[in-house]
Structure formats: C-alpha cells, structure tokens
Amino acid sequence: MEYRPALDDIYAETLQVFTDSDEPTAPRTTPEVTAELDCGRRATHKRLQYLAEAGELRTKKVGAGARVWWCPAGVDPPDERRLRELLTNAERLGDVGAWEYDIDDGELFWTDGARRIHGVESGYEPELETALDFFHPEDRPTMRRRFETCVETGAPYSAELRLITAADEERWVRVSGEAISGAGHELVRGYLQDITARKHRERLLESQRDNLEVLNNLNAVVRQLTDAVIDQSTRPEIEAATCEQLSASDSYRFAWIATIDPVTLELVPRVEHGCDGYLSDAGLTSNPTEPGGQGPAGRAVRTREMQLSRDVYADPDFEPWLDLAERYGYRSMAVIPIVFGETLYGVLGIYSERVDAFGAAEREVLEGIGEIVGHAIAAVERKQALLSDEIVELSFRLTDTRGRIGIPEWFEATVEFDSMLSLGDGVFLVYGTATGVERSSIERLTETASLRYIDDITVLRARGEGYDIEMTLVDPPVLSTVASVGGYVSTVTVTGDSTTMTVHLAADGDVSGAIDRITGVEADMEMLRRRQTTRSPRSLDSRLLDSLTDRQRAALDAAYFMGYFNWPRENAGPAVAERLGVSSSTFHQHLRKAESKLLDAVFE
C-alpha cells in the first residue's frame, strides 16, 4: 500500500502546537494557533485546513463563523493517517460514503466518499438543508420524513432513493441512518452507497423479462390469430378476428383496421375493438399536407412500412392526438400495413399502455401479422372469384412477348390454367393444359437461356390433343398482381409476339382498381374486353372450395395434377411435398384434411 509522505516542515511545525502541548486534544481557535507560529492568521488557517484534510487534526464550527481544531485522542498520527487511507480506499472501492449529524450543534459531516457520491469537491462543507436538496424531488419528502423520525424517535432507517449530483447526474443510492449518543452529544450517523450500476442491471433484467413475457404472449396471440383468420370465410370476419385477438392480449389495449379512401385519402374505419369511435375522433388521413397525415398512420400508408411511436408524450409528431392518448389510456402505438404482393388492403393500428413498447423483436413479429392478414384477405377474394355466380371476365393483351419474357420465335401455344398455387416468396406453381404445341417444343422451351419468369416446365402426361403441364414461375409480374387483387388467370395464349390472357374477378370487388393495377404492371399492357357474366358453379365445387384452406387446396391440387392418386402413382408423397416446398409429413397432414372435407362434400 502507498502511504502519504512525511509532512512538510511548515505543517509539522503547525502540528507540534498540538502534539507538544499538555492537552493535544483540547480544541484551539485559529488565533490561538497563530499566536504560537511565525505567520499570519490566513496562512495558519490554510495549514490547519490541510492538516484536517490529511486526517492529522479534527475541526468543527463554533458560533456564527469561528472554527476550532484539535488532535484526535488516543491514536498516534502515523496510525491515524494509515487508518484514514484504509477507510478512504474502502469507501472508493465500495462506492460508499459516511456521514454524521450533530443534533445539538446542527452540524453535518461528510467523508470523502460521501462528497464523491454527491459530485462535490473535497473541501465542500455540507449543511442539512442543502444535503436534503440533493435528493430527487420525488424522493426528497421520503428522505426528510425518515431522517426527522430518526432524530425524534431514534428509529433507524434504510431506503433506496434517487440523488441528483452537483453535475445534475441522477444516481441511485442506498442511504441509512441510526441515532447514537456519545461525547455528550446526540448524533445521527449513517452511510450511503452508490447502487446506480445495480439498479441499471435490475432494470435491464426486468425489461428483458417483460419483453420476453410480451413476446411469449404475442407469439401465442399470433398462433391464435392465424388459426382464427384461416377459419374465417369473409374479409370482415378476418378483420374482426384480428382486432379481437390483439385487443384481448395482455400486451395491448385496443386495435383497429382501416382502409384508405382513394379520393379523399382519409382512413375509413372497417373494424375497431376496444376503442369504439377512436378513428372518427382521430381524423386520420394519408395526405401528408394535412395535420392528420403527419403521424404514424399516414406514414404507414405512404411508405407501406410499420410506423410507431414508443412514447407518444415524447413524440412531437403525435401532438395532435395527445388528448386522445390520455382519454383512451395508451402510451405507445404502432400502425402496420396490411399488404399482399403489391396490394395495400389497409392498415392495422395497435395501442399499448406500456412506455417503450414495440421493441425490435416485437416489431418483427407484428410485421408478420400484416402479411398474415393480407394473405388471408387475398385468399378469400380469390375464393370469392372462384365461387361467385357473378364474375367479371377481363381480357388483356401484352405485346413484345419475346422481348419481355424471352420466349423464342418458334414457340406458340395456348395454355388453359387449371390451378395456380402460390408457394410464397414470389414463387407460383401452375398446373394446366397446353394445346397447339408439340411435346418436344415444350421440353425444349425450358432450355432457352433468354427465358424469364419461367423457371421450369414439366410435361406430366398427354391429354387429348394437348399435354398436362406443370410450370414453376418466379416473380411473374402479371400473375403476381392478378393474385394480389384476388383474381385468377383462366387462359393464356402465346401467338407470335403477342400474349393474350383471360382473368376472372369477383363482381363485388374493386374491379376498376384491379384493372389499373394489372395494366400498370407492364408498359403496353392493353385491356381488350370486360364483361360481367353469370355462372352456376357445381354445388360440390362450391361446398368443397368454401371449406378448404389455401394450404389444403394446394396439397389436393398438386397431388391430383402430379398423379399422386393414379395407380401406379406417377409421383409419391415426398415428390409432391418437394414441389410444394414443405415436409412430407406436412403435405400428408394437409392432404388428409382436404380428403376428409372432400368426402364430407360428397356425402352431405
């Protein structure tokens, strides 16, 4: 251990005034010490102050401005220095400081450790009121009450409180005190320890536990929501189930779904759960020039990305809605676009009482909800197009087929689509019948280096004058857009450098919007014909398609077209599962459920 060096001559001379006297522990005033030294009063005071800070002397105020000094009793000066160094080092290592309050004289003493914790200089002399003022305004009454009770009754105390240092830094301290009697004075002594680091660790652990609990709860909600959404047969039922599941969660207060008026750009309520009337009160819009379009909802519509406010009271963009935050009792919120492909079906608003909700992991899960709901709505609209008695039939023509898709000049064919299955990530599995083309031409087409969007073509079998084929398409812009607006392609004909396509949409959908989307995919995409027609689907088809989920229908269609049900089987279960991008067990699970529903439809 490193000890303080020997005192300089001037300080040793000053200390001898006390140690060489008959009563070294007797208090002396500064003038009394000055009278025995060959120096001025101010110089004497500086020497005495140095010796007190070095632990060689003790000092205290007397009267209004006087001070006395004395040698500590019963301890040799070298031992006193060593003890003081040990205590100072212990205070530093333990982030601890001690204090003592003389009730009779009203004097407060701090050790160097106490001064360090308060962020003051080593020579700082505290007073009771200024010492209490260091505590956080919210914790100050607690500190004052406990200290005064200790002074009056002698009851010891210990508390963990916040303290604001001289540098305006907030620290957590454990402060304690007890009343004692000694040297003819009533004293209150105690210590305080800087526990800021421990508090931060506790808060971090608590936050992590809270976030884990929220994520566990949210994942359970997502599983329930996915099941609930899949079980619904209409868009309103899907939207209602989504908001109900989220608002019933312990993590969220309420939820709503709105669409966007294409003319006014206002958010139009479709469903609210736990917040009836909120959207009307909020006056939300996606128009960036209006106040109602500056918040998270407007940004979510414009960017098609999740937008949030983790603390609405600290978010300047949320100022127009602070009165609603107080009335509806939330502190954070998120708005999630409901998107499938390129289609924005609306936005989902979720609100929480938690400050700093919607952390990175939570946001990742919630973004998936927008995709789940968007996919479910698109699937329902496609099903409506398949089942509806009233349909709109659209015919389109795309020129420069060879340049756009890379189809060679020697290839011409008509392909009637029987089934178009979305495998996710822009991949489609299409089953159909190709006519007006030789088998060798179909097989040769896949070897064309310039071909785009068509990843693979497999001839399954001959059928009449044509061939059953399976095509794997990757990011086909037109087909992806048709699927995203709830339609399906019935036929495609490639003739020369022109491709014509027939699309079916449900008559009660947004047909005009769908046309705009489809014709906007490719330059020179031309709509040839639009007509509304009535059809009478077979009752078995209607009952079956209405009961199957997307995955069940995909498993049934792929199994049928790949010859899984033929004898001998043209393709076994693992081969069909591989084409669908799922495990063999998952394929068989979906297939068994689809077969069960098929039998129900037959025998009902």
Side-chain angles (χ1 to χ4, degrees):
M1 178 175 179
E2 185 177 351
Y3 297 104
R4 185 183 295 113
L7 295 172
D8 292 340
D9 290 343
I10 58 172
Y11 298 115
E13 178 188 7
T14 305
L15 185 60
Q16 283 179 347
V17 173
F18 297 88
T19 58
D20 291 351
S21 70
D22 294 336
E23 296 183 82
T25 60
R28 288 173 171 79
T29 65
T30 304
E32 290 174 342
V33 178
T34 303
E36 299 187 39
L37 298 172
D38 186 17
C39 65
R41 180 172 177 174
R42 178 171 296 182
T44 301
H45 186 274
K46 288 184 177 180
R47 295 185 190 182
L48 293 170
Q49 183 68 35
Y50 176 84
L51 290 170
E53 292 177 358
E56 305 291 348
L57 295 177
R58 293 286 186 265
T59 183
K60 66 178 291 186
K61 287 182 179 179
V62 292
R67 181 172 290 278
V68 294
W69 318 81
W70 72 94
C71 248
V75 181
D76 293 335
D79 293 338
E80 174 70 13
R81 287 197 301 271
R82 181 177 299 177
L83 178 60
R84 182 174 178 82
E85 287 179 352
L86 287 171
L87 292 175
T88 300
N89 194 48
E91 282 190 335
R92 180 180 59 81
L93 293 175
D95 282 330
V96 177
W99 57 271
E100 180 180 274
Y101 178 70
D102 190 314
I103 298 174
D104 290 346
D105 294 339
E107 287 192 355
L108 178 63
F109 172 77
W110 280 353
T111 64
D112 289 341
R115 293 187 180 94
R116 184 180 61 254
I117 291 173
H118 285 81
V120 297
E121 297 179 355
S122 59
Y124 181 83
E125 295 183 2
E127 295 183 357
L128 180 60
E129 285 302 318
T130 56
L132 291 173
D133 286 343
F134 274 100
F135 285 90
H136 191 284
E138 295 179 4
D139 294 346
R140 198 174 299 152
T142 300
M143 181 64 224
R144 181 182 295 275
R145 183 174 61 253
R146 296 199 176 192
F147 176 80
E148 291 177 350
T149 300
C150 182
V151 170
E152 294 171 2
T153 67
Y157 66 88
S158 178
E160 293 183 357
L161 305 173
R162 289 165 295 175
L163 181 145
I164 307 298
T165 69
D168 203 30
E169 176 187 357
E170 181 178 298
R171 294 180 181 175
W172 276 92
V173 295
R174 174 181 286 279
V175 58
S176 68
E178 60 178 352
I180 62 172
S181 297
H185 295 286
E186 292 294 331
L187 304 174
V188 177
R189 288 178 181 169
Y191 75 92
L192 67 163
Q193 181 180 20
D194 189 339
I195 58 172
T196 306
R198 195 202 80 196
K199 280 289 185 179
H200 286 171
R201 288 194 299 271
E202 289 177 353
R203 286 183 173 180
L204 178 61
L205 290 173
E206 183 179 356
S207 175
Q208 290 173 341
R209 285 194 297 267
D210 290 344
N211 288 338
L212 182 59
E213 182 178 353
V214 168
L215 283 177
N216 289 337
N217 185 31
L218 181 56
N219 284 321
V221 169
V222 170
R223 288 193 296 271
Q224 296 167 2
L225 185 148
T226 303
D227 293 339
V229 165
I230 289 175
D231 289 340
Q232 306 311 313
S233 57
T234 67
R235 177 173 177 175
E237 290 174 346
I238 291 171
E239 293 169 335
T242 300
C243 292
E244 182 178 356
Q245 289 290 334
L246 288 168
S247 60
S249 164
D250 293 336
S251 301
Y252 306 112
R253 189 168 182 83
F254 62 88
W256 52 257
I257 288 178
T259 55
I260 298 84
D261 188 303
V263 178
T264 66
L265 301 183
E266 293 179 352
L267 268 65
V268 181
R270 285 189 62 87
V271 60
E272 294 175 301
H273 204 280
C275 61
D276 291 344
Y278 179 84
L279 285 170
S280 298
D281 294 338
L284 300 177
T285 176
S286 61
N287 189 342
T289 64
E290 296 184 11
Q294 299 296 322
R299 294 197 302 269
V301 174
R302 294 192 296 273
T303 64
R304 298 198 177 188
E305 295 179 353
M306 175 189 283
Q307 302 292 322
L308 52 91
S309 178
R310 303 192 67 192
D311 185 354
V312 297
Y313 288 99
D315 185 351
D317 291 338
F318 210 83
E319 186 175 354
W321 301 281
L322 290 182
D323 59 331
L324 291 180
E326 183 175 356
R327 192 192 318 170
Y328 285 88
Y330 63 85
R331 287 295 301 271
S332 57
M333 56 86 64
V335 181
I336 305 162
I338 300 174
V339 178
F340 180 73
E342 297 298 321
T343 300
L344 177 68
Y345 287 104
V347 287
L348 165 65
I350 307 174
Y351 295 71
S352 175
E353 297 174 319
R354 294 173 289 135
V355 180
D356 291 333
F358 307 108
E362 189 175 352
R363 291 198 299 270
E364 185 176 351
V365 176
L366 288 174
E367 285 175 343
I369 290 179
E371 297 174 1
I372 291 170
V373 177
H375 184 277
I377 292 174
V380 164
E381 292 190 347
R382 285 197 302 273
K383 186 179 290 186
Q384 288 175 340
L386 289 168
L387 297 177
S388 177
D389 291 343
E390 293 293 325
I391 62 169
V392 174
E393 185 177 271
L394 306 172
S395 293
F396 297 91
R397 179 170 58 201
L398 179 64
T399 58
D400 190 21
T401 301
R402 309 200 189 286
R404 295 177 190 277
I405 306 177
I407 294 179
E409 295 182 0
W410 48 261
F411 185 85
E412 290 189 2
T414 297
V415 179
E416 182 176 351
F417 282 27
D418 294 315
S419 177
M420 185 175 70
L421 310 176
S422 173
L423 303 184
D425 296 326
V427 180
F428 291 83
L429 196 60
V430 176
Y431 293 99
T433 303
T435 56
V437 63
E438 297 293 330
R439 179 175 186 142
S440 58
S441 296
I442 300 174
E443 294 172 341
R444 180 183 169 196
L445 181 62
T446 58
E447 301 172 359
T448 304
S450 62
L451 200 63
R452 291 188 293 276
Y453 311 129
I454 302 176
D455 186 64
D456 183 51
I457 301 178
T458 301
V459 177
L460 299 176
R461 64 189 67 83
R463 181 183 295 274
E465 298 180 356
Y467 301 93
D468 287 345
I469 63 172
E470 175 193 82
M471 293 187 293
T472 303
L473 309 180
V474 180
D475 293 325
V478 177
L479 294 188
S480 298
T481 302
V482 170
S484 71
V485 297
Y488 67 94
V489 178
S490 61
T491 58
V492 176
T493 301
V494 179
T495 305
D497 200 23
S498 175
T499 298
T500 58
M501 176 177 63
T502 302
V503 175
H504 288 175
L505 297 171
D508 57 355
D510 182 11
V511 177
S512 296
I515 292 173
D516 291 340
R517 291 287 308 282
I518 295 170
T519 55
V521 172
E522 296 276 8
D524 301 328
M525 173 73 81
E526 176 188 7
M527 190 178 75
L528 302 176
R529 185 178 70 250
R530 168 179 175 172
R531 70 186 183 98
Q532 185 164 334
T533 182
T534 300
R535 66 179 183 184
S536 299
R538 291 173 295 172
S539 60
L540 176 59
D541 289 344
S542 176
R543 292 198 306 273
L544 179 60
L545 290 175
D546 190 45
S547 65
L548 292 178
T549 67
D550 273 3
R551 294 183 182 275
Q552 291 165 5
R553 185 182 171 212
L556 191 62
D557 282 8
Y560 174 78
F561 290 112
M562 291 184 67
Y564 175 82
F565 299 110
N566 294 346
W567 188 257
R569 283 179 175 167
E570 297 178 28
N571 284 285
V576 181
E578 182 180 0
R579 299 301 289 161
L580 293 173
V582 298
S583 67
S584 182
S585 61
T586 299
F587 160 69
H588 283 100
Q589 180 182 7
H590 291 317
L591 184 61
R592 282 193 297 272
K593 290 183 177 179
E595 289 171 334
S596 176
K597 292 178 179 180
L598 174 61
L599 292 174
D600 288 341
V602 170
F603 290 106
E604 278 184 355

